[in-house]
Amino acid sequence: MDIDSNPSQTAMKNGSVRMRHGGLFKRPGSPVYYARWTVKGKTYRESTGKTNRRDAETRLAELMRPYIIEDEKALAQNVQAHIAGAEAELAQIEAQKAAADLGNVWQMYLDAQNRPDTSEPTLAQYKCQFSRFVAWCAALDPKVQLMQEVTEETAAAFVKHLATEKRTPNTVNKYLNLLQLVWHTLAKPAHLSVNPWAGIKRKSLVTVARRELTITELTKVCKAANGELRTLLALGLFTGMRLGDCCLLRWGEVDLTLGIIRKDTRKTGKPVQIPIHAELQAMLKEAECAKDGDYVLPQYAAAYHKRSSTVTNRIQAHFKACKITTEAPEQKQRARRGVEVGFHSLRHSFVSLCASAGVPLAAVQSIVGHSNPAMTRHYTHIGIEAARGAVAALPTITTEVKKTNPKAAPSPAEILATIRNIAGNMTEKNWKNQAEAILKAASSVRLPTN
């Protein structure tokens, strides 16, 4: 019978554990100890030539020693490799931290794979805001040079600086949102443990709704405008489109033959079909004769792409030159958001003028688009003829409109489209009101006289 002794050896090589088993045994009838050990699953046996157990154990150790040395060498090499890898990783981290110099952060943000998709005009605005923060750090807090060195105290000081520049609460919040986004996006590559902007309280807002312009104001601003600005204002009023959609309107989206503008709105992505008002049609035909590139308004498209606020400022300056007050009343200024009158007022004017002309709400909504999916589905049945009637109902604005001028009677096709629209919206609950609306629409038909 074999009699095993104790030792069991363990070694590590290339990250894996290797077990070495060794021991002594005797063969039946023999006083001599034999050594037996296992390496990589293979078992070795050899006589120690010793009858004394202690001497036999010494011999067993001698036999296994080369293998143990080999493992110790491999273990040392493995440790060295781990140390070298750790040093390289630390060096990379330090290099990334150094790369997070505030002067390099914006490019790091643009290159980040996890940053949200953002339009070019918005990115340009973001870059401008971030550059202002970097410039502030360089001028007033020069010890802050890396992202890691921006603390919550630094963030709070910058917000205070914005307040001294009399930035509106809405603008301050936009800065905070952008800076928090940049730090969040670069948290992993820049090895940031804290986002200093997350804990800064946002400013409270009191929304000041933009009002629509009166006919007199509309006529004044349009008559005083020239060139592309005149066409831009007409687009805003006669289509109800937002500023970005008007500035970036392409000729491929304008069908002057059918008198329709087809466009996917930038804000919601909703496709809209907008009939072209007769006055706008004349302007677009004039602009088409001097067409320069893909954009209907190439100068304003370029300005909007570069920096959208430049276009906004031009429009506000034009309104002020026309003696139209653009700011909200003083008591609303403390925590206001936005201005009382701006380009978006033309969109409100479009809706208001349509309502004044008795255009059904559904027809107006189908033209201006709607961000609510449920409302969008509700308005999809509106036909192009109803939309034409809505746009045709808008007044002329390049010349003064006299109150004594009678409103042009709607065409039979327009009246029929309106009646179909009202009937399509009729339910068990509103049928009485809808029936009255149908009778009112039908009463506008002018019968021929003998």
Side-chain angles (χ1 to χ4, degrees):
M1 175 182 293
D2 291 351
I3 302 175
D4 285 329
S5 69
N6 53 354
S8 170
Q9 303 290 336
T10 304
M12 177 179 287
K13 185 176 183 180
N14 297 327
S16 61
V17 177
R18 174 189 295 167
M19 298 297 298
R20 298 202 181 285
H21 300 283
L24 299 172
F25 68 92
K26 285 183 178 181
R27 290 179 176 173
S30 173
V32 177
Y33 282 97
Y34 284 80
R36 179 172 56 196
W37 67 97
T38 302
V39 178
K40 298 182 181 179
K42 185 176 180 180
T43 301
Y44 299 88
R45 295 179 179 84
E46 186 174 326
S47 173
T48 65
K50 309 295 182 182
T51 57
N52 179 279
R53 184 179 182 84
R54 182 170 293 180
D55 294 338
E57 288 177 348
T58 301
R59 178 57 183 162
L60 173 63
E62 293 174 353
L63 292 171
M64 294 186 65
R65 183 62 181 166
Y67 300 100
I68 294 173
I69 292 175
E70 178 185 347
D71 283 345
E72 289 176 346
K73 177 182 177 182
L75 179 60
Q77 291 174 340
N78 189 56
V79 171
Q80 289 177 347
H82 275 284
I83 292 174
E87 289 177 344
E89 186 174 357
L90 287 172
Q92 183 180 11
I93 291 173
E94 291 303 319
Q96 288 174 330
K97 285 183 176 181
D101 182 284
L102 289 179
N104 302 326
V105 169
W106 182 249
Q107 189 58 49
M108 289 177 62
Y109 175 76
L110 293 180
D111 296 338
Q113 297 296 318
N114 60 326
R115 73 172 177 86
D117 291 333
T118 311
S119 66
E120 288 300 322
T122 303
L123 273 179
Q125 182 65 29
Y126 284 174
K127 180 181 180 180
C128 181
Q129 291 174 332
F130 190 82
S131 297
R132 286 173 182 165
F133 169 68
V134 174
W136 172 81
C137 287
L140 300 178
D141 201 354
K143 66 178 181 296
V144 178
Q145 297 182 354
L146 305 178
M147 291 188 76
Q148 295 81 0
E149 295 171 343
V150 176
T151 64
E152 190 167 326
E153 290 73 21
T154 306
F158 180 64
V159 172
K160 186 176 180 180
H161 165 71
L162 293 175
T164 62
E165 291 188 333
K166 297 183 179 181
R167 305 278 181 176
T168 65
N170 181 51
T171 299
V172 173
N173 289 347
K174 286 181 177 179
Y175 272 92
L176 287 173
N177 292 338
L178 166 65
L179 293 166
Q180 182 177 352
L181 173 63
V182 171
W183 258 252
H184 173 75
T185 303
L186 300 180
K188 187 174 181 180
H191 299 278
L192 304 173
S193 57
V194 177
N195 190 330
W197 306 97
I200 303 298
K201 185 178 179 181
R202 269 46 177 175
K203 302 294 182 181
S204 58
L205 301 176
V206 175
T207 301
V208 177
R210 290 179 177 87
R211 68 170 177 85
E212 66 272 15
L213 298 174
T214 65
I215 293 292
T216 301
E217 289 174 328
L218 287 170
T219 303
K220 184 185 296 185
V221 297
C222 289
K223 286 182 66 176
N226 296 307
E228 287 193 7
L229 178 59
R230 178 170 172 267
T231 306
L232 176 62
L233 295 174
L235 279 169
L237 175 63
F238 290 128
T239 67
M241 291 194 300
R242 297 178 178 86
L243 178 60
D245 290 329
C246 291
C247 287
L248 303 181
L249 181 67
R250 296 175 181 271
W251 284 113
E253 298 166 325
V254 179
D255 190 331
L256 291 176
T257 302
L258 294 179
I260 295 175
I261 292 174
R262 298 182 179 90
K263 188 169 184 63
D264 293 341
T265 57
R266 287 163 52 83
K267 182 175 181 180
T268 66
K270 181 184 183 298
V272 293
Q273 287 192 98
I274 307 173
I276 302 176
H277 188 275
E279 188 172 353
L280 178 60
Q281 177 105 347
M283 293 184 190
L284 292 176
K285 285 183 177 179
E286 181 181 342
E288 188 183 31
C289 294
K291 185 164 67 171
D292 180 19
D294 294 335
Y295 291 105
V296 175
L297 306 172
Q299 295 177 12
Y300 275 89
Y304 191 88
H305 273 307
K306 186 175 182 180
R307 188 176 176 185
S308 60
S309 60
T310 301
V311 178
T312 302
N313 292 338
R314 289 182 191 174
I315 295 169
Q316 295 302 100
H318 180 71
F319 284 161
K320 291 178 181 178
C322 293
K323 308 300 182 183
I324 297 176
T325 303
T326 60
E327 299 295 334
E330 185 64 30
Q331 60 268 26
K332 296 181 181 179
Q333 293 269 344
R334 299 177 195 170
R336 67 181 176 84
R337 177 180 185 270
V339 294
E340 189 177 33
V341 174
F343 186 85
H344 204 76
S345 298
L346 301 177
R347 182 175 171 89
H348 289 289
S349 299
F350 174 85
V351 175
S352 179
L353 290 171
C354 286
S356 299
V359 177
L361 175 62
V364 179
Q365 291 288 0
S366 71
I367 296 172
V368 300
H370 207 287
S371 58
N372 186 318
M375 297 295 284
T376 299
R377 287 193 297 271
H378 177 69
Y379 296 127
T380 52
H381 68 281
I382 301 301
I384 191 65
E385 289 305 320
R388 287 188 193 279
V391 172
L394 294 175
T396 301
I397 59 172
T398 53
T399 57
E400 287 286 354
V401 178
K402 298 180 181 179
K403 294 183 178 180
T404 56
N405 287 350
K407 184 172 66 175
S411 68
E414 293 167 355
I415 295 172
L416 179 59
T418 301
I419 292 174
R420 286 176 176 171
N421 170 53
I422 296 171
N425 288 326
M426 186 176 292
T427 65
E428 293 181 357
K429 293 183 178 180
N430 69 0
W431 69 270
K432 288 185 178 181
N433 292 334
Q434 297 295 79
E436 292 178 2
I438 290 175
L439 291 174
K440 181 180 178 180
S443 66
S444 63
V445 177
R446 294 186 177 181
L447 298 176
T449 58
N450 295 328

